[in-house]
Every structure is written in structure tokens, then in C-alpha cells.
Amino acid sequence: MENTISNGELMLEVKNIHKKFADADVLHGISFTVRRGEVLVIIGPSGSGKSTMLRCLNRLEEIDKGSVQVRGEYLAKEVDGSTVYAEGDELRHILGSMGMVFQQFNLFPHMTVLENLLEAPMQVKKMKREEILPVAEELLRKVGLYDKKDSYPARLSGGQQQRVAIARALAMNPAIMLFDEPTSALDPELTGEVLKTMRELAAEHMTMVVVTHEMAFAREVANRVIFMADGNIVEQGTPEELFGAPKEERTKAFLNNML
């Protein structure tokens, strides 16, 4: 599996991205790549810039410097010292290739589970209801929630809502899935069902970038792990390298705390 991924299509190329809020530098020159079918897991202490970095990948936050390339197309690049973003149809095309799942589920409370899945493909992609309906129903079967298709989000557990959120992101048929601490708002007993869904996606070779504090998931599912602290990538490697023989003292201290 490692070899096919190392030779696979470059899906994401992040070069030297910097981000500051007011006077606070949050990201200090972050660079990494993700290939097709790879699961990249990002770990690190709270406040290390993990979520900000993830939000920079799909322009929920704008970078101050550096470049983000998605499947060979520039979302953002540096031109004469300033950051220039893709525009119009090109921007929509690039952003449309990425799905995102947040800490909070962000489901539309006034819509049923099924309607939540149908909304974006119909509104954004202008797909007909009858075209997307079988896809949406199949995705609900995939996450084990077909029987809840006519329920409203308020009637679901947090774990069920997050699985609906994953299915909703998949309904847009993204090439890359971004996960920002998808289990952090859940009780421990509900965390497992969401991680199971993510494991199944990984087994199907979905390209994924996952920010998480779930070390067992990182160890088991990731192809590569990045450890971030203070807005920097401190260390990266395979799970075996990072968890089994971390090189940096900062990594060792964090893992001793977490494991």
C-alpha cells in the first residue's frame, strides 16, 4: 500500500504557508504533500495551529504567504510578494474537490437527514433531485443511518449527526476529505462509531487529511503522521516512526502525555 501511495497522483501540495491573526503568528512556513489514497493525520497540542492549517487548505482562512496546490491547480500562490487566489469557476472547481467535516456537525436543523445530503448537490452542482437521491440514500446506508433518513438532526445522537455530516460531505463526490477534530465534541462511547466510518473510508483509499487527538486512530489508519507545535511542523513520518521512535524531544513529551 505504501508503494502505490508514494507513486500516486499528488493531490495536495502545501508550500511554506504563513498565517497570522492580528499580531499573532499562527503558522510559520508549513510545507507538506498528500498523494492519492493517502491518509495524513496531524496531531499536536491545542493551539499548535492544526485546525487553522486545515482551514487554509480550502480557504476558510486565507494565507498570508506561501502556496496551496490542489491536484495540480493553484488555490493560492505568491505573486510579487503577495498571495493571489484562484477566482470564479476555477476557484469553485478547486474548492469543490474537497469535502470538510468539522468539530460541530453544522447540519441544517430544519431539514431531514436526507434533505441535508441533497441540498448542496442540488444547489451548488445543480443536480436534479432524482439524480442525487440514489447516491444520497446509498451514502446513508454506508454510514449506517438509512433508517434515519426522514429524521431531523435534533432527534439524532452526536455520533449519528457526525456520520450524517460525513455522508453530506461525500455527497459532493470530493477527491479529498478534510476532517477537523471530528470526534472532539462527542462522548467517548459515540467516538467509536465515527472513527469506524473514517476507517472504512481509509480502507476504500479515500484521500484524507485528519486533524485529531485520537492517537490509536492515527497509529492504525494513517500512512503518515505530522506532529505540529507552536505553528511549526516539528516532525513527520510513518506511524511506526513517529510513535515508535520519535526523534524530537517535543514529540516525545507530547506522546508521553497522550499515550
Side-chain angles (χ1 to χ4, degrees):
M1 186 170 167
E2 285 293 329
N3 291 338
T4 57
I5 286 166
S6 63
N7 298 327
E9 177 193 350
L10 200 56
M11 299 294 273
L12 264 175
E13 188 170 17
V14 176
K15 281 189 183 169
N16 194 34
I17 63 171
H18 291 252
K19 175 68 183 171
K20 61 163 56 178
F21 293 115
D23 293 332
D25 286 315
V26 183
L27 300 175
H28 310 273
I30 301 290
S31 300
F32 62 88
T33 58
V34 183
R35 293 192 175 273
R36 177 182 292 282
E38 189 172 19
V39 179
L40 176 67
V41 174
I42 298 154
I43 62 172
S46 296
S48 59
K50 306 184 301 294
S51 291
T52 299
M53 186 280 297
L54 196 72
R55 291 168 68 87
C56 288
L57 300 184
N58 62 0
R59 209 187 174 181
L60 290 175
E61 301 288 355
E62 293 203 347
I63 60 175
D64 299 314
K65 184 181 172 188
S67 68
V68 178
Q69 221 173 333
V70 183
R71 301 177 83 188
E73 298 178 289
Y74 278 102
L75 171 66
K77 61 182 171 181
E78 271 189 78
V79 179
D80 299 330
S82 58
T83 304
V84 176
Y85 275 86
E87 296 179 342
D89 288 344
E90 187 185 6
L91 176 65
R92 281 187 288 277
H93 170 70
I94 293 169
L95 294 179
S97 66
M98 292 181 279
M100 185 148 179
V101 178
F102 301 86
Q103 295 178 26
Q104 302 300 333
F105 323 122
N106 294 345
L107 299 175
F108 298 119
H110 61 290
M111 293 182 180
T112 65
V113 163
L114 184 60
E115 287 168 343
N116 264 280
L117 267 68
L118 299 175
E119 181 70 5
M122 287 167 60
Q123 296 299 327
V124 179
K125 289 194 165 181
K126 307 300 179 194
M127 293 175 76
K128 291 185 167 61
R129 183 184 170 90
E130 57 269 25
E131 195 182 350
I132 188 61
L133 184 63
V135 177
E137 289 182 337
E138 187 53 41
L139 285 169
L140 288 175
R141 286 190 187 93
K142 185 190 189 91
V143 299
L145 290 170
Y146 180 75
D147 61 330
K148 302 288 186 186
K149 67 186 174 79
D150 298 320
S151 300
Y152 287 89
R155 304 303 298 265
L156 305 182
S157 72
Q160 290 171 330
Q161 289 189 58
Q162 192 61 296
R163 280 149 61 203
V164 172
I166 293 171
R168 182 176 65 175
L170 291 171
M172 291 293 282
N173 195 27
I176 305 164
M177 283 285 283
L178 310 176
F179 293 86
D180 185 14
E181 297 274 14
T183 60
S184 65
L186 301 176
D187 295 332
E189 68 268 23
L190 300 176
T191 294
E193 62 190 53
V194 174
L195 293 178
K196 177 175 179 282
T197 298
M198 293 170 65
R199 282 188 182 94
E200 288 165 358
L201 286 179
E204 294 167 7
H205 307 296
M206 168 61 80
T207 307
M208 296 159 65
V209 182
V210 183
V211 170
T212 187
H213 57 273
E214 299 289 342
M215 296 299 120
F217 175 84
R219 200 170 206 160
E220 178 194 338
V221 179
N223 300 101
R224 265 187 314 127
V225 182
I226 285 176
F227 172 64
M228 279 182 70
D230 305 316
N232 293 293
I233 291 177
V234 176
E235 188 169 350
Q236 59 179 306
T238 65
E240 294 75 20
E241 290 165 345
L242 205 89
F243 290 105
K247 297 183 179 71
E248 303 293 332
E249 289 305 319
R250 188 78 179 78
T251 316
K252 291 176 189 172
F254 173 77
L255 292 174
N256 285 339
N257 219 9
M258 294 295 288
L259 298 174

